[in-house]
Amino acid sequence: MKLAKNCSACYFTEINAENKRSEAEMIRAIRASLATALLMVLVACGSDSAPATYSAAPQFLSYDGPQVTQVVVNKSDRLMFLLSDQTILKTYKIHLGNEPVGSKQFEGDGKTPEGIFFVDRFNPRSQYHLSVGINYPRPQDTARAMSVGRKPGGDIFFHGRGPDGAAAARENKNDWTAGCIAVEDAEIEEIYAMLRTGTQVVINP
C-alpha cells in the first residue's frame, strides 16, 4: 500500500510537471501571437492607434484664423494646400505612400488614394505625433475592391513623422508611409488645430 501511495504521488507529480510545461508553452505561444499582432499594427501607418513612444510630445495649438474650407493635395508635386475659399492659408511639402504613383485600390498596395474626401476623425494619441483621418474607403472604393475579391484598405490619415518617419529621414526615403500623407511633426500640429470634421479634402494625382 505504501508503494502504491508513493507511485500515486509520483503520477500526480509527473502530471503537474507536464501541466506546467504545457502552460509555459501556451504562455510563450500567446506572447508570440501578441508580438506578431503588435508588429502588424506598427507596420501600417493606417492603424495609427498606438500612443507616441518617442520623447517629443505633441503640442496642441489653438487657431482663430479664417476657416479652412478645403484641403488640396497635389501628389505629383508633393504639395498640400489649406484654403479658405480661394485664399491659400498654408502650403506644406508632403510624403506619400511607398508606392506613390496611382490611386489606392487595395489593402497593402502602398498607394495614397485620389479623389474627394472629408475629414472624419482626429487622433491625439497617434504613433505619428498627431493625425487627422479622412473617409477612405468610400462606398465606391469598397465596391471596387470587393468586385475582385479584395479589401480596399483604410485608415488614411494626415500625420507627422513620428519614429518611423524619423528613421525614413535618416535613410533619405521621401515616400515612406503605407498610404497616408505625412508632414513634419510641427506641421501636423498646425494642421490638427486648423481642420474641422467635415472639411473637404481633394487629392489629385
Side-chain angles (χ1 to χ4, degrees), residues 130-146:
L130 292 171
S131 61
V132 180
I134 64 173
N135 65 323
Y136 178 91
R138 302 160 299 180
Q140 61 266 38
D141 301 315
T142 301
R144 181 181 59 244
M146 291 183 65

Side-chain angles (χ1 to χ4, degrees), residues 25-104:
E25 291 172 357
M26 183 178 297
I27 289 170
R28 285 194 294 270
I30 290 171
R31 286 176 175 171
S33 297
L34 289 174
T36 300
L38 179 59
L39 179 61
M40 291 175 67
V41 167
L42 294 178
V43 165
C45 80
S47 298
D48 199 44
S49 58
T53 56
Y54 55 104
S55 59
Q59 301 295 310
F60 294 92
L61 308 178
S62 60
Y63 174 73
D64 59 2
Q67 180 183 356
V68 177
T69 57
Q70 189 180 60
V71 178
V72 176
V73 174
N74 292 339
K75 290 173 57 177
S76 59
D77 296 329
R78 303 299 191 276
L79 290 175
M80 179 169 73
F81 305 93
L82 271 54
L83 290 85
S84 180
D85 295 325
Q86 301 299 315
T87 301
I88 297 175
L89 302 176
K90 286 283 185 177
T91 303
Y92 301 99
K93 293 183 179 180
I94 60 172
H95 308 274
L96 302 174
N98 52 54
E99 294 292 338
V101 178
S103 183
K104 187 169 189 64

